[in-house]
Amino acid sequence: MSIANSDLYKIIKRKENPLFLILFVAGLNIFGWLSGKMGFASISFNYIPIPHLSIVIFVLLSLHFLFCIKFEKSWIIRTFATPFIFLLALFCLYLFLNYFFKFTTDIENIFIKDPTYFSVFLTSRISPITALLFFFICISLLSIRQRDSVLIRYIGGSLSLLTGIISFVLIIGYLYKAPLLYGSKIIPVSLPSSICFFLFSITLLRVYKSRFWTFNLIEDNKPTRLLLKSFLPIVIVIIILQGYMTANVSLHRDNPALSDAVVLIFFVTITIYTVIRISTFLGNTLVKVQKALKESNEKFSRAIHYAPFPIMIHAENGKVLAISQGWIDLSGYTLFDIPTVEKWTEHAYGSRGKIVKEDIDILFKIVGSKNEGEYVITCKDGTQRIWDFSSTLLGNFEKEGRIVISMAKDVTLRKHAENALKGNERKLHQLNIDKDRFISILGHDLKSPFNNILGLSEALKEDINNLNKDEIQVFANNINKTARITNYLLEDILMWARSQQGKISFNPQELNFKDICKNVLEILNPGAFVKNITIKYSTLDNIRVYADIDMLKTIMLNLVTNAIKFTNNGGRISINAEKNSGNVIIVVSDNGVGIKDDDLPRLFNISEVFTSKGTAKETGTGLGLLLCKEFVEKHGGTIWVESEVGKGSDFKFTLPVFTGKTI
């Protein structure tokens, strides 16, 4: 396994680095005590060495911290770590209080059988300040495990900071050859202990992530934090360097005070100059950054506001931060109308608002951009528009959380045009199919009578000298009959073609339906009389329709003619009309042969011109019902048929009632 992937390397690389320095210092001190080389235990022979018990406690605390990180989920660590630190904290608190209250039982004697003298500084007893700092560290370690309590972590962070400040002051005292508490009756803190306390406090503060009272005062002031990060290291380094120079360099041996003053003035000058230069640089930089940021915000705001297309900036907390003028113009909603995304979905999507809101919430988890697709929105005036949305995550901000910019393209006109084009394509495709089928059917229907005419005329031409007058009459009658059928077919084709081209004039007017029926029956009664068919109509005299008289007559002539054609001798045909919801329903009924269910869909289908022979072998073109359908729909009505084989058929259609207004 490579070093970079080892567990030890991962631990050292993280926040616990100072702990390994503490273990290194403790190792040197142990070596100094065991070898008798007290310089390793005190760093300088002029100071007291680190006590044995302090070394042990530092090692125990460091190993405890490392094991808790490495084996955090281990049941052994979870079971014994907290009691161990708690007992150690009580022990250190006891040592601290013992110096003031002089308890009868001296626990330290259990670990130190023969404490050395203090008058010449050499001692192996723990300083009360050392015991207090150990107590602070133990409380901080205990509070780290209380992750759910903000107050406890706040206290632990503050104690860690206090430990760091005290240990730093102790180190500075040693650098200036004025260790604190020297000359007093209290055992001072050793220099190695001060260094270890300082390293331990740095580790704890990094774990707490600056959650202590001093940092809270400036946590919202980023420029101040930037200045502190720049100045504090410089000041600390200069103070330490000044202490070292004062302690080890003397410019004038006969006058140490003058030397110290020169060194002090030198470093103060450097400090002031450095602070001024850095302050000037940072100040100018901050001013430029603030100005650039302000201009950038103004440009961004203007770009969003005056964008001609819809733009919305919304936050993870549901707040709508900005919308463009294009959004307002197209939807009608202002920022006052839709302060939140929930309000927007409620107004624009109605019952689908919750589903769309869930789709929008997903946007805060995207990386980069996402094309959401097309949505139908309801504008403030009630109209509906189609918007094609795409969104981009702008980033994660401190107050609003993640922010997304959603842009839309209004594709309403394009979609309508596309739908219309698709509809026209479908219609054109169907018309081409219908045309091909229609031409094929008509070709077949026209070919048969023309073949008859050609065949009869050829036979008449070749045998006319051998035929008598009666035989010639038969040929002539057959040719005439076939020619009339063909002529009817051509007339129907021409009329249907004219209707398709819109060349038949449409002039609706007020008509008395009873008068139309009388006129139609005058024309068709002779044909009905031949088959002994009775035609009756029952309609109210006051039923007046709004229709084109020629088209209405054509409709009635075709329907009644079909009824006569498919009604047996002695049958009955009835015509009825009644008002219904602003329309007139007209019914032409017969008790003829009826129509099979399979043939009903073919009656009004141009691609299947349907013809059949009547009860008296009558023939037809099959275009009559198509003309009826065209003319009825021209009036805005509908036509349909209800039939049962052997019982007859009911052809029904609707026309508008005359109300004095045009359709």
Side-chain angles (χ1 to χ4, degrees):
M1 183 175 65
S2 63
I3 296 177
N5 294 326
S6 66
D7 294 334
L8 181 61
Y9 177 79
K10 292 179 181 177
I11 292 176
I12 296 175
K13 188 178 179 181
R14 294 196 296 266
K15 302 174 182 179
E16 297 75 36
N17 302 18
L19 297 179
F20 294 94
L21 294 177
I22 293 175
L23 293 175
F24 175 75
V25 173
L28 290 178
N29 299 150
I30 293 173
F31 173 77
W33 277 106
L34 294 177
S35 63
K37 298 179 179 180
M38 302 308 296
F40 288 100
S42 60
I43 299 181
S44 174
F45 289 104
N46 297 323
Y47 308 129
I48 64 172
I50 184 171
H52 309 76
L53 192 55
S54 295
I55 298 174
V56 174
I57 295 176
F58 274 122
V59 172
L60 290 175
L61 289 176
S62 300
L63 292 177
H64 165 269
F65 204 115
L66 292 173
F67 279 124
C68 285
I69 295 173
K70 174 62 178 176
F71 306 105
E72 182 179 6
K73 297 182 179 180
S74 172
W75 69 271
I76 298 178
I77 296 298
R78 292 200 304 268
T79 304
F80 296 104
T82 300
F84 167 73
I85 296 298
F86 182 74
L87 292 175
L88 187 59
L90 291 179
F91 173 70
C92 295
L93 181 62
Y94 176 86
L95 294 179
F96 173 73
L97 296 176
N98 186 47
Y99 278 93
F100 299 99
F101 298 103
K102 304 298 181 183
F103 299 131
T104 56
T105 302
D106 191 350
I107 298 179
E108 195 172 3
N109 287 331
I110 299 174
F111 303 96
I112 304 171
K113 296 298 183 182
D114 184 20
T116 54
Y117 50 89
F118 170 61
S119 58
V120 197
F121 300 138
L122 187 60
T123 181
S124 59
R125 299 183 65 85
I126 293 181
S127 168
I129 304 301
T130 300
L132 181 63
L133 294 180
F134 275 133
F135 177 75
F136 287 168
I137 290 177
C138 290
I139 297 299
S140 299
L141 289 175
L142 288 174
S143 62
I144 289 176
R145 305 186 67 84
Q146 306 299 320
R147 297 179 179 178
D148 297 331
S149 177
V150 178
L151 178 61
I152 293 177
R153 290 178 63 83
Y154 183 81
I155 294 173
S158 299
L159 290 177
S160 301
L161 177 64
L162 185 59
T163 301
I165 293 174
I166 294 175
S167 59
F168 180 73
V169 171
L170 293 172
I171 294 173
I172 294 299
Y174 276 105
L175 289 176
Y176 280 88
K177 289 188 176 181
L180 298 181
L181 305 179
Y182 265 74
S184 67
K185 295 181 179 181
I186 299 178
I187 299 175
V189 182
S190 65
L191 179 57
S193 296
S194 302
I195 295 173
C196 291
F197 279 126
F198 185 69
L199 294 174
F200 219 112
S201 66
I202 292 175
T203 301
L204 291 174
L205 290 176
R206 294 179 68 188
V207 171
Y208 277 106
K209 297 180 180 179
S210 304
R211 296 187 180 182
F212 43 87
W213 65 273
T214 53
F215 192 81
N216 289 338
L217 297 176
I218 59 171
E219 64 178 351
D220 293 331
N221 192 328
K222 294 182 180 180
T224 304
R225 287 162 58 184
L226 178 62
L227 289 173
L228 283 176
K229 288 180 180 180
S230 301
F231 292 151
L232 283 180
I234 296 173
V235 173
I236 291 173
V237 169
I238 290 177
I239 290 175
I240 293 175
L241 183 60
Q242 179 185 346
Y244 176 80
M245 294 291 292
T246 303
N248 297 280
V249 178
S250 178
L251 300 178
H252 200 291
R253 298 183 181 275
D254 297 333
N255 193 347
L258 178 61
S259 301
D260 294 343
V262 172
V263 172
L264 179 63
I265 293 172
F266 175 74
F267 282 104
V268 167
T269 303
I270 293 177
T271 303
I272 294 174
Y273 177 78
T274 304
V275 169
I276 291 174
R277 293 298 299 173
I278 295 180
S279 299
T280 303
F281 173 75
L282 290 178
N284 293 335
T285 303
L286 288 175
V287 170
K288 292 179 181 179
V289 169
Q290 290 176 351
K291 184 177 180 181
L293 182 61
K294 184 178 180 181
E295 292 177 354
S296 177
N297 288 336
E298 290 179 355
K299 291 178 181 178
F300 183 73
S301 299
R302 290 180 181 178
I304 295 298
H305 181 73
Y306 294 107
F309 48 87
I311 295 179
M312 172 187 284
I313 300 178
H314 49 104
E316 193 172 7
N317 59 12
K319 186 178 179 181
V320 176
L321 304 179
I323 56 176
S324 66
Q325 189 62 41
W327 190 292
I328 298 173
D329 294 339
L330 290 174
S331 69
Y333 297 112
T334 63
L335 193 58
F336 178 79
D337 299 320
I338 49 173
T340 63
V341 174
E342 186 175 0
K343 281 292 184 182
W344 160 248
T345 55
E346 177 183 335
H347 288 312
Y349 300 100
S351 60
R352 298 179 294 116
K354 291 184 179 180
I355 299 176
V356 177
K357 177 67 166 54
E358 293 176 357
D359 294 340
I360 295 175
D361 291 339
I362 297 176
L363 297 176
F364 296 100
K365 300 178 182 179
I366 65 174
V367 177
S369 301
K370 179 182 179 182
N371 292 323
E372 302 172 64
E374 296 173 357
Y375 286 81
V376 178
I377 67 164
T378 301
C379 299
K380 192 173 183 178
D381 59 5
T383 60
Q384 290 189 330
R385 306 193 73 85
I386 304 174
W387 285 7
D388 186 6
F389 284 92
S390 61
S391 297
T392 301
L393 183 66
L394 293 181
N396 196 351
F397 295 84
E398 186 173 354
K399 293 183 179 180
E400 292 84 4
R402 296 191 176 191
I403 292 180
V404 167
I405 179 171
S406 295
M407 295 165 283
K409 183 188 299 182
D410 192 303
V411 295
T412 306
L413 297 179
R414 191 193 74 190
K415 295 300 293 185
H416 288 170
E418 289 178 356
N419 293 334
L421 182 60
K422 290 179 181 178
N424 290 335
E425 287 178 353
R426 287 193 297 268
K427 289 180 181 179
L428 181 60
H429 181 67
Q430 187 61 42
L431 286 174
N432 285 331
I433 294 175
D434 294 344
K435 179 199 68 174
D436 294 340
R437 290 180 180 176
F438 182 64
I439 291 174
S440 176
I441 292 170
L442 290 183
H444 178 269
D445 289 347
L446 287 173
K447 185 177 181 181
S448 180
F450 275 116
N451 285 337
N452 288 337
I453 293 174
L454 289 173
L456 291 172
S457 61
E458 286 290 339
L460 181 62
K461 176 182 177 183
E462 293 177 359
D463 296 334
I464 191 169
N465 295 325
N466 300 325
L467 298 175
N468 57 37
K469 185 176 181 180
D470 293 334
E471 290 174 336
I472 293 173
Q473 185 66 37
V474 171
F475 273 99
N477 289 338
N478 288 332
I479 292 172
N480 180 262
K481 181 179 179 181
T482 304
R484 282 203 309 272
I485 293 173
T486 307
N487 184 60
Y488 293 152
L489 177 59
L490 290 174
E491 286 181 354
D492 286 346
I493 292 172
L494 290 174
M495 181 173 289
W496 180 84
R498 289 174 61 201
S499 70
Q500 293 296 301
Q501 296 173 358
K503 292 184 177 180
I504 297 179
S505 60
F506 177 63
N507 300 308
Q509 58 184 307
E510 179 188 3
L511 299 174
N512 188 325
F513 184 68
K514 185 176 181 180
D515 294 338
I516 300 296
C517 289
K518 286 181 179 180
N519 186 262
V520 169
L521 294 184
E522 287 177 358
I523 299 172
L524 298 179
N525 268 330
F529 179 77
V530 172
K531 298 181 69 173
N532 195 24
I533 295 173
T534 303
I535 303 177
K536 293 183 178 181
Y537 65 93
S538 57
T539 180
L540 298 176
D541 292 339
N542 60 352
I543 290 184
R544 309 184 75 79
V545 297
Y546 188 71
D548 182 285
I549 187 170
D550 293 327
M551 291 187 179
L552 181 54
K553 284 182 179 180
T554 301
I555 295 169
M556 293 303 298
L557 284 170
N558 275 286
L559 294 181
V560 176
T561 298
N562 278 346
I564 295 172
K565 177 180 176 182
F566 295 103
T567 301
N568 293 308
N569 288 336
R572 297 184 309 276
I573 297 174
S574 63
I575 302 173
N576 297 299
E578 61 180 15
K579 292 181 180 179
N580 183 17
S581 302
N583 289 328
V584 175
I585 299 178
I586 300 169
V587 183
V588 178
S589 303
D590 65 69
N591 62 347
V593 296
I595 306 170
K596 296 178 181 180
D597 291 340
D598 294 340
D599 293 333
L600 288 175
R602 302 166 60 192
L603 295 179
F604 301 104
N605 191 346
I606 185 177
S607 62
E608 300 184 38
V609 179
F610 179 70
T611 61
S612 61
K613 292 185 177 182
T615 56
K617 307 301 179 182
E618 300 100 326
T619 60
T621 64
L623 291 175
L625 291 179
L626 292 178
L627 287 172
C628 291
K629 180 175 182 295
E630 291 286 337
F631 291 163
V632 168
E633 291 179 350
K634 192 77 172 178
H635 288 80
T638 57
I639 186 170
W640 70 98
V641 60
E642 299 171 1
S643 182
E644 186 175 351
V645 176
K647 292 186 178 181
S649 304
D650 295 334
F651 282 84
K652 301 179 180 181
F653 66 96
T654 60
L655 289 177
V657 175
F658 180 76
T659 59
K661 298 180 181 179
T662 60
I663 60 174

